[in-house]
C-alpha cells in the first residue's frame, strides 16, 4: 500500500500528541481529555481502514500537528524536550519490532483491554492501569529507558504514572505507524518542508478535537 506525506504527518502528529500529554501530566498533573482520547483510541485500532482513522475523526491529532509545526519552525526558543521523547519512542519501536514475543504480549494485553471496554469508558482509570501494566511488562524491558521529567508531586501520583505509561505506549503505536508509512529520520531531516506544509493543511480541515 502506498502512503502519502499526509499519512506520515498524521503518524508523526500522533507521536507528538502522546508526548504532549505525557509532558502536561508530568509538569502540571492534568491534560485536556480531547488530546488524550485519540492517543488511547489508537491502541485499539489494529485493522483500521486508513491512517487517519487510527486516531478517530478528522482533526483528532491537531494538538500533535501544532507541535510538529512548532518543532519545525526555526527559532532558538523552541522546546527540544518533545523531540527528544519522540526520537526515543522511535528507537524503542524499532527494538520492539525485533521482539515478536513482546509484540504478542502487547497484542494479548490489548485484546484483554478490548473486553474491558464493554464495561469501562475509554478513559476510565482501569483502562489506563491496564495499558500501563502492558507498558511496564514489555516496553520497560527495552533500552533506551524513557526518563520522564516533571514535578515530583505529579510524577509520584499512581494515577498519573498509569496515564503516563499508557500514553507512552500510545506513542509507540504512533511510532509504529510512522515506520509503516515510510517515515524515517531522513524524512524529518530532509522532508521538513513537506511535513510542515502537511501539518498546516491538516489544521485547516474541519476538526472535532481541535483544542
Amino acid at each position: 500500500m502506498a502512503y502519502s506525506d499526509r499519512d506520515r504527518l498524521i503518524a508523526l502528529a500522533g507521536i507528538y500528541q502522546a508526548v504532549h500529554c505525557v509532558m502536561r501530566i508530568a509538569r502540571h498533573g492534568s491534560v485536556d481529555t480531547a488530546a488524550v482520547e485519540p492517543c488511547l483510541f489508537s491502541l485499539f485500532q489494529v485493522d483500521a481502514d486508513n491512517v487517519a482513522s487510527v486516531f478517530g475523526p478528522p482533526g483528532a491529532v491537531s494538538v500533535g500537528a501544532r507541535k510538529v509545526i512548532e518543532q519545525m519552525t526555526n527559532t532558538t526558543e523552541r522546546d527540544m524536550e518533545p523531540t527528544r521523547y519522540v526520537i526515543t519512542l522511535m528507537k524503542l519501536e524499532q527494538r520492539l519490532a525485533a521482539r515478536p514475543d513482546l509484540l504478542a504480549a502487547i497484542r494479548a494485553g490489548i485484546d484483554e483491554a478490548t473486553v474491558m471496554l464493554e464495561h469501562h469508558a475509554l478513559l476510565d482509570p482501569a483502562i489506563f492501569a491496564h495499558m500501563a501494566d502492558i507498558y511496564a511488562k514489555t516496553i520497560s524491558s527495552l533500552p533506551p529507558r524513557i526518563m520522564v521529567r516533571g514535578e515530583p508531586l505529579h510524577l509520584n501520583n499512581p494515577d498519573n504514572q498509569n496515564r503516563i505509561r499508557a500514553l507512552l505506549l500510545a506513542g509507540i503505536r504512533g511510532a509504529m505507524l510512522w515506520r509503516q508509512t515510510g517515515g524515517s529520520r531522513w524524512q524529518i531531516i530532509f522532508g521538513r518542508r513537506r511535513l510542515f506544509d502537511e501539518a498546516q493543511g491538516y489544521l485547516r480541515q474541519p476538526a472535532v478535537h481541535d483544542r
Side-chain angles (χ1 to χ4, degrees):
M1 180 177 180
Y3 294 102
S4 66
D5 287 334
R6 176 61 58 90
D7 291 329
R8 284 183 282 275
L9 177 276
I10 291 172
L12 186 61
I15 312 173
Y16 269 100
Q17 187 150 314
V19 166
H20 164 77
C21 292
V22 166
M23 292 177 60
R24 285 287 306 179
I25 293 169
R27 292 177 176 182
H28 307 285
S30 64
V31 64
D32 190 345
T33 57
V36 175
E37 186 171 359
C39 300
L40 265 290
F41 180 82
S42 71
L43 290 171
F44 294 91
Q45 310 314 304
V46 179
D47 298 310
D49 293 333
N50 53 64
V51 173
S53 63
V54 169
F55 298 99
V61 289
S62 292
V63 170
R66 282 194 287 269
K67 295 302 175 183
V68 170
I69 290 174
E70 288 178 12
Q71 295 306 306
M72 292 189 174
T73 301
N74 291 324
T75 170
T76 57
E77 297 180 357
R78 70 172 181 255
D79 184 356
M80 294 306 297
E81 187 174 1
T83 296
R84 285 194 289 270
Y85 283 127
V86 168
I87 291 172
T88 302
L89 286 169
M90 289 179 175
K91 290 179 179 178
L92 281 169
E93 191 279 328
Q94 289 179 331
R95 287 178 169 82
L96 176 64
R99 292 289 302 272
D101 56 328
L102 296 183
L103 287 168
I106 291 172
R107 179 61 183 267
I110 290 175
D111 287 343
E112 292 173 0
T114 301
V115 175
M116 292 174 64
L117 287 179
E118 296 176 6
H119 306 287
H120 298 85
L122 179 63
L123 302 186
D124 189 282
I127 299 296
F128 279 112
H130 184 80
M131 291 300 184
D133 187 59
I134 294 174
Y135 181 91
K137 291 179 177 177
T138 56
I139 308 301
S140 289
S141 66
L142 298 172
R145 295 289 297 272
I146 294 183
M147 302 301 294
V148 177
R149 299 177 181 178
E151 295 295 326
L153 175 66
H154 305 313
L155 291 174
N156 292 331
N157 181 298
D159 287 337
N160 286 342
Q161 291 173 2
N162 286 339
R163 290 195 294 168
I164 286 171
R165 290 190 180 110
L167 286 161
L168 289 175
L169 186 63
I172 294 288
R173 173 69 173 105
M176 182 179 295
L177 194 61
W178 166 255
R179 177 176 54 80
Q180 291 171 340
T181 57
S184 68
R185 281 178 293 179
W186 299 114
Q187 291 276 348
I188 296 176
I189 296 171
F190 296 110
R192 292 166 65 90
R193 184 74 241 181
R194 290 197 301 274
L195 288 169
F196 180 88
D197 291 343
E198 287 296 341
Q200 288 190 317
Y202 181 84
L203 291 173
R204 284 195 293 267
Q205 69 178 340
V208 175
H209 286 159
D210 190 7
R211 296 185 187 178

